[in-house]
Amino acid sequence: MAQATLRAHVSSWGYACFLTVNATSIWGGVFPFLPLEFQTVEVTLTFFLAQALAFGGAFVASMLGAYYFPHGARRMLVSLSALLVFGGSACLIAAMYAQAAALALVAMGGVLLGIGCAGMFMLWQRYFASLPAEQGNLRLILGTAIAPFVYFALYLVPIALTAFLVPLVFVPLCGLCVALSVREMQVDQPMFEDVPRQHPRVYRQAVADYWRSALCVGSLAFASGVIRGIALLHEEIGAVVNSASMLGSLVSAAALLVLWRRMSFRFGLTPVFRVAYPLIVTGFLLLPYLGPVYLNLFAGLTYSAFSLVQMLMMMQCAQVSRDRGINPVFIYGFFGGVAYIMQSVGFLMGWVSDFVSVDGREWLFFVAMASSYVLGLTLLAATGTLFKPVASKGTVVAEPIEFPALATGGDAQAGEAARKRRRNRPSASEDAGVIRDRTSKQCLLLQERFGLSVREAEVMELIARGNSMATIADRLVISENTVRTHAKHIYTKLNIHKRQELLDMLHDLEG
């Protein structure tokens, strides 16, 4: 079964094509397949300022639109997003030939690509979130792993042809794959039918629980933005940024797949940032003292880290949508708005640093000090040291991403390790999450035997203890419709139809 699920679906190939399109325009901070004589400072700065404003603004606008106009957010505007990306690429090509209007065309191209790529990200996020967690995460990881091979294959094509190949072939192919993929979406889920203003407390709580995770992603995006700003003025770095980002995607995706096949594990975005923090800060502090070779290596490391957290960000947002019944456009717009606005700020800081002199010292001292300061503040905020927790008492805060083991070998050891981790996890209610009595122990056994998610196990235990749907919704800070959907999934996985059958299953278990 594991081998069958590892086959690349059309959605994985489509997402790989989209990442390739993204990498050739806005992802790495350079135009890898456009003539070098075209890439002047004025052109690149104009493009990235326009693109950054449009890209980050599109995420914020999507978040607000999903909240205030949820019916409009349900539409899958595949054709419009693809046309915007195509139009942005066409403007860049036209700018190479119409020198008199080059800056205007470049600015227009940046706006169209920024909005179009943000729209495509939203489309893919909605699709992956609509699938069961294991299936959605697996297709996302496979697409991320395939993208570097497609991207590096473009280097085998002459640059003059590649500039036309991307908008004429890859953009339509990506749009076709999105259109084919969304046909299998189940749009009758609470996350798509939800009307946020009917229960704003659920959305406020989600933002309160996950703003630290979003800030961690934004901090690594800020670091990558600094490197992107430096790359704008230093060709020897710019040549590395795109390749490093794609190699980082390949390494992180491959590592996740290997680990996932061997064991069950769970981790969140905040722990990832805590691991990356000392490496990134040390790298910034060493910038003024080491040469250009080190600067290239550090640029590669920074973009590799950001490639990983961008993939994890999509998984985290999809899980939040499933568990809490929240519109996926809202939560992904929130994460993306924080991340890409901070990346734009980092880009501006990296670019202006070349013109800054601090007490006659090299400009890299300014980069090192300012970047370390921002990263340090983020660490304090993410760990709760800088601000007091804003989540309500007893509420799950930033539930980690779940990866139940794909492979059958070694499941006993993996299950035992997962069992120990679950016993100590935070809980959204006083009745779930810890082994206190027979009921909680039997619910844990059912969770492991039938592959229930952490949230489904919480709902199952609360149902078994006789709580009503309204009580469960209040404790978990989700809508009653979402609770009913979780209950439906639980009964389907257990092959039962009502609460009494659940009680009978729990009673028949040994332990």
Side-chain angles (χ1 to χ4, degrees):
M1 181 177 179
Q3 292 180 350
T5 58
L6 286 177
R7 295 175 182 173
H9 186 262
V10 63
S11 58
S12 297
W13 288 103
Y15 186 63
C17 288
F18 168 65
L19 290 182
T20 301
V21 172
N22 204 37
T24 61
S25 54
I26 69 174
W27 175 253
V30 291
F31 301 106
F33 302 114
L34 295 181
L36 290 178
E37 58 271 14
F38 171 72
Q39 302 182 44
T40 63
V41 174
E42 292 79 9
V43 167
T44 50
L45 181 61
T46 300
F47 173 80
F48 289 119
L49 287 177
Q51 170 266 313
L53 181 62
F55 194 55
F59 278 92
V60 175
S62 297
M63 179 189 71
L64 297 176
Y67 186 86
Y68 290 104
F69 309 102
H71 297 287
R74 294 175 190 172
R75 298 178 181 177
M76 303 297 293
L77 302 177
V78 178
S79 300
L80 177 59
S81 297
L83 285 174
L84 288 173
V85 176
F86 175 84
S89 300
C91 285
L92 291 179
I93 295 175
M96 292 190 297
Y97 300 97
Q99 297 182 358
L103 291 181
L105 288 170
V106 164
M108 184 180 297
V111 172
L112 294 177
L113 280 169
I115 299 175
C117 286
M120 294 296 288
F121 266 122
M122 292 293 177
L123 291 169
W124 284 116
Q125 176 65 26
R126 283 171 55 91
Y127 169 74
F128 290 127
S130 71
L131 301 174
E134 180 179 300
Q135 190 179 56
N137 289 345
L138 188 59
R139 291 181 181 180
L140 172 62
I141 295 173
L142 287 175
T144 305
I146 294 171
F149 294 99
V150 179
Y151 173 81
F152 288 117
L154 292 178
Y155 282 97
L156 302 177
V157 181
I159 290 180
L161 294 179
T162 307
F164 295 90
L165 186 66
V166 170
L168 295 178
V169 176
F170 279 88
V171 173
L173 183 61
C174 178
L176 176 61
C177 290
V178 174
L180 292 175
S181 299
V182 299
R183 290 183 178 180
E184 63 177 307
M185 285 181 58
Q186 298 179 359
V187 295
D188 57 345
Q189 302 180 59
M191 69 176 82
F192 298 122
E193 299 178 345
D194 189 50
V195 180
R197 284 185 290 179
Q198 292 181 354
H199 38 80
R201 177 171 171 249
V202 175
Y203 283 76
R204 288 198 302 267
Q205 192 61 57
V207 173
D209 290 346
Y210 285 93
W211 70 268
R212 288 185 173 86
S213 297
L215 192 60
C216 289
V217 176
S219 184
L220 293 177
F222 171 84
S224 69
V226 172
I227 295 299
R228 189 170 79 172
I230 295 174
L232 176 63
L233 300 174
H234 299 269
E235 294 182 3
E236 68 278 8
I237 305 171
V240 174
V241 170
N242 273 47
S243 298
S245 66
M246 299 307 289
L247 285 175
S249 299
L250 175 61
V251 171
S252 57
L256 273 179
L257 282 176
V258 171
L259 189 63
W260 197 2
R261 284 190 60 117
R262 293 179 175 272
M263 65 179 68
S264 298
F265 60 96
R266 299 165 60 239
F267 61 86
L269 292 169
T270 302
V272 170
F273 174 71
R274 288 176 178 173
V275 173
Y277 171 79
L279 298 175
I280 301 297
V281 168
T282 302
F284 273 119
L285 293 176
L286 292 176
L287 278 180
Y289 304 101
L290 300 179
V293 175
Y294 169 78
L295 192 55
N296 278 312
L297 292 175
F298 179 62
L301 171 66
T302 304
Y303 258 90
S304 296
F306 182 62
S307 298
L308 171 62
V309 298
Q310 192 227 17
M311 177 174 60
L312 296 178
M313 179 176 72
M314 295 188 71
M315 296 180 186
Q316 181 76 87
C317 292
Q319 182 167 300
V320 175
S321 298
R322 299 186 194 101
D323 287 351
R324 305 198 182 194
I326 290 177
N327 192 313
V329 174
F330 175 88
I331 192 66
Y332 189 59
F334 169 67
F335 268 82
V338 173
Y340 297 117
I341 288 175
M342 290 187 67
Q343 187 181 49
S344 300
V345 173
F347 165 75
L348 289 175
M349 196 195 78
W351 179 73
V352 303
S353 64
D354 203 29
F355 308 98
V356 175
S357 177
V358 182
D359 295 332
R361 297 182 180 179
E362 293 290 336
W363 57 277
L364 286 175
F365 279 101
F366 172 80
V367 173
M369 289 187 296
S371 301
S372 301
Y373 179 75
V374 172
L375 291 169
L377 287 180
T378 303
L379 181 65
L380 291 175
T383 55
T385 306
L386 188 61
F387 303 108
K388 293 182 179 180
V390 295
S392 60
K393 182 179 179 181
T395 301
V396 170
V397 177
E399 296 162 333
I401 308 168
E402 300 176 49
F403 293 90
L406 287 174
T408 56
D411 279 350
Q413 295 180 353
E416 180 62 26
R419 185 182 304 117
K420 293 179 180 179
R421 288 193 294 272
R422 290 192 188 104
R423 289 176 182 175
N424 297 319
R425 66 176 175 83
S427 174
S429 75
E430 297 176 357
D431 295 325
V434 293
I435 304 299
R436 297 189 299 106
D437 54 20
R438 176 183 173 84
T439 299
S440 60
K441 183 177 180 180
Q442 305 303 63
C443 286
L444 178 61
L445 291 175
L446 279 184
Q447 176 190 1
E448 295 167 353
R449 182 173 298 181
F450 292 93
L452 273 64
S453 69
V454 171
R455 178 48 60 92
E456 289 171 346
E458 284 182 326
V459 173
M460 176 179 65
E461 184 172 343
L462 291 169
I463 292 174
R465 293 185 184 277
N467 293 277
S468 66
M469 294 295 172
T471 301
I472 297 174
D474 183 67
R475 291 195 179 199
L476 301 181
V477 197
I478 56 180
S479 68
E480 290 188 43
N481 193 27
T482 303
V483 177
R484 293 189 185 93
T485 300
H486 285 312
K488 178 182 177 181
H489 292 166
I490 293 166
Y491 290 161
T492 299
K493 290 182 179 181
L494 300 183
N495 195 25
I496 58 178
H497 302 89
K498 55 186 178 180
R499 176 175 174 270
Q500 186 57 50
E501 294 181 62
L502 171 62
L503 296 178
D504 293 340
M505 290 188 70
L506 294 173
H507 179 74
D508 293 340
L509 286 173
E510 297 181 358

